[in-house]
Amino acid sequence: LCDDEAEMEELENADDEELTACETLTLPNSSLHGLWESLILPHETKQNLLEYARSALLFSDLNVSSNIIDWNRVVLLHGPPGTGKTSLCRALAHKLA
């Protein structure tokens, strides 16, 4: 596990104020250890999402033609702020790393 802290990328707005554009973590990262297990979701939901992501990565790694096997490459997460969308994405990325 990597112990590096998140790298912040800053942007300046029209008023010359610096805004955080993104955070970058090296995966797997110790700061995300245990996050997947702490998500309060039905086990089936977590398992289905993990299998979907692994399949998509496998197809991509093997350069599977979308003319042969067609799959949806997008997962849309929606909901009000604070419902765990970002935590789910971070946990999934860490789990797959």
Side-chain angles (χ1 to χ4, degrees), residues 43-73:
H43 177 73
E44 295 167 355
T45 302
K46 288 169 58 173
Q47 193 62 33
N48 288 340
L49 181 60
L50 191 57
E51 287 176 18
Y52 171 80
R54 284 185 174 146
S55 297
L57 287 173
L58 178 64
F59 291 164
S60 178
D61 289 345
L62 296 175
N63 295 318
V64 173
S65 170
S66 60
N67 295 326
I68 298 172
I69 297 178
D70 190 25
W71 76 96
N72 187 354
R73 297 180 187 139

Side-chain angles (χ1 to χ4, degrees), residues 28-42:
N29 195 290
S30 60
S31 68
L32 301 176
H33 184 69
L35 185 57
W36 180 259
E37 292 77 16
S38 71
L39 294 174
I40 302 173
L41 291 170

